[in-house]
Amino acid sequence: MTDFFNGFWPFFITVVCLVGIIFCAWIAWVYGRPDPEVDKAGGELTGHVWDGDLTETNQPMPSWMLWMFLLSVVFALGYLVLYPGLGSYKGTLDWTQFSQHEEQKQNHDARIATAYSAFEGMTPEQMAGNSNAVAIGTSLFLNTCAQCHGSDARGSRGYPNLTDGDWLHGGSVEALRQTISKGRHGVMPPQGAAVGTATDIRNVAAYVLSLSGTPTDGVAASRGRAKFAATCAACHGADGKGNQALGAPNLTDKVWLYGGSEASIIETITNGRSGTMPAHENRLTPAQIDLLIAYVLNVSGSAGK
C-alpha cells in the first residue's frame, strides 16, 4: 500500500499541474479573444442600464493582457521542464534546494575561512586586543548571543551581564569555551521548606543582603545567619562567595542575576531558580568560538589579565 501511494501521489500532482495550466490557457484563448462582431456593436450588452442612458457592456480582455497570460503559461511549462515541480520529476537541470544550500554553505565557509585565516595561531587573549578580531566577534555575538545577553552584552533579568567581570562558572578562556561549546544549566533548588517559616526565609534574605553590605534589618540578618549556614553554605560557601565549580553565585559582590531586592531574594529562596545556556558547538566552528571568547574578554575588561 505504501509503494502504491508513493507512486500515485507524484503522478497525481503531475496531472493536476499540467491539466490546470492547460485548462487555464484554453479558457483564456477561447473566452479572452476579441470578437469582431461584438466589437463592431460596441461590446456585448449585459442588460444593465443606470440613469436611463448608462449601459453596461461585457468587453473581452485587452489583447496585450491575453498574450501576457499565455506567455506566463509558456514560462510555467518551461519552468516545469527545467526544475522539479511535477511529482518525482527532477527537471533537466537536476536542481534541488538541498544542493543549492550546500553549494552556498561551502562558498560561505570558504569566504569565512579566508577572513579567519588572519587570526590563525592567535590565542583568544591575543585576539581580544586585535580590533579586526573583536569586530568579527562582535558580529558573531550580535547574531548568536544578543537575544539573551543584550546587544551591549549587559544581560537582563535571568541572563548574566558579561561586562562586569562577575562569572558564575569562571571567566578564563577554558571556562568560557566550555560555556559556549557545551552550554550551562544553572539550578537553584527551592529552599523554602528547608529554611522554615516565612519569617525564617525573610531572616535568611536579610542575611544575604548583609553579605553584600546592602542596608537591611540587622536583627533579622543575625537571626538568618544560622539558617544560611545550614541550608545555603554548601553551595554558596560559608562566606557567601559562591562556588564557580557549581555555578553558585557570589552573594557578596552586589551582582544579582534575578534582582537584589529583599522580595526577589525571598522568591529565589522559596521557589528556586533555573536557567539554561544552550550549547553552541554544533552551530559554531572552533574558530568562531575563539572569536566570541575574544569579544567577551574584551567587553568584560579581562583581556590581558
Side-chain angles (χ1 to χ4, degrees), residues 1 5 18 28 75 84 90 145 151 153 156 159 175 186 188 196 206 222 227 237 251 256 266 284 287 293:
M1 183 63 71
F5 281 109
L18 292 178
F75 174 83
K90 295 182 179 179
C145 315
S151 59
S156 61
Y159 301 99
M188 159 75 181
S222 64
K227 286 285 185 178
L251 304 177
W256 306 99
I266 288 174
L284 301 172
I293 294 172

Side-chain angles (χ1 to χ4, degrees), residues 34-291:
D35 187 334
E37 297 298 327
V38 173
D39 286 347
K40 289 180 182 179
E44 180 184 357
L45 298 177
T46 64
H48 300 156
V49 180
W50 289 272
D51 299 330
D53 60 353
L54 185 59
T55 303
E56 179 183 8
T57 60
N58 183 18
Q59 299 281 0
M61 73 173 67
S63 297
W64 67 268
M65 186 179 294
L66 171 63
W67 286 108
M68 285 293 292
F69 181 81
L70 294 176
L71 285 174
S72 70
V73 169
V74 173
F75 174 83
L77 292 174
Y79 179 91
L80 291 174
V81 170
L82 297 173
Y83 294 96
L86 296 175
S88 57
Y89 175 67
K90 295 182 179 179
T92 57
L93 296 181
D94 199 27
W95 175 92
T96 68
Q97 59 183 334
F98 303 105
S99 62
Q100 182 178 0
H101 173 267
E102 187 60 30
E103 180 183 354
Q104 292 175 343
K105 183 177 182 299
Q106 290 175 0
N107 292 336
H108 175 266
D109 290 344
R111 292 194 301 270
I112 292 299
T114 301
Y116 290 174
S117 62
F119 314 114
E120 188 173 350
M122 296 176 64
T123 66
E125 294 95 336
Q126 291 170 331
M127 287 189 286
N130 183 295
S131 59
N132 292 330
V134 172
I136 295 176
T138 301
S139 296
L140 287 169
F141 180 87
L142 292 174
N143 286 321
T144 310
C145 315
Q147 295 86 344
C148 293
H149 294 284
S151 59
D152 58 358
R154 294 184 180 275
S156 61
R157 181 178 172 87
Y159 301 99
N161 182 347
L162 305 179
T163 70
D164 57 9
D166 184 80
W167 307 102
L168 289 173
H169 297 275
S172 68
V173 169
E174 286 309 313
L176 292 173
R177 182 176 287 116
Q178 177 75 10
T179 297
I180 297 171
S181 301
K182 303 296 183 181
R184 302 287 188 182
H185 187 188
V187 177
M188 159 75 181
Q191 296 292 331
V195 172
T197 66
T199 300
D200 292 330
I201 295 172
R202 182 181 176 278
N203 290 341
V204 171
Y207 177 71
V208 169
L209 287 171
S210 72
L211 289 173
S212 61
T214 303
T216 186
D217 185 336
V219 175
S222 64
R223 292 174 177 172
R225 181 170 186 169
K227 286 285 185 178
F228 179 91
T231 58
C232 312
C235 293
H236 294 283
D239 55 3
K241 293 189 176 181
N243 185 340
Q244 291 184 346
L246 299 175
N250 182 349
L251 304 177
T252 69
D253 57 7
K254 291 188 177 181
V255 176
W256 306 99
L257 190 57
Y258 294 96
S261 67
E262 183 180 87
S264 296
I265 296 172
I266 288 174
E267 181 183 354
T268 299
I269 296 170
T270 305
N271 300 316
R273 301 289 186 180
S274 179
T276 299
M277 158 75 180
H280 286 77
E281 60 183 350
N282 294 326
R283 182 177 179 182
L284 301 172
T285 65
Q288 289 174 322
I289 290 174
D290 279 354
L291 284 164

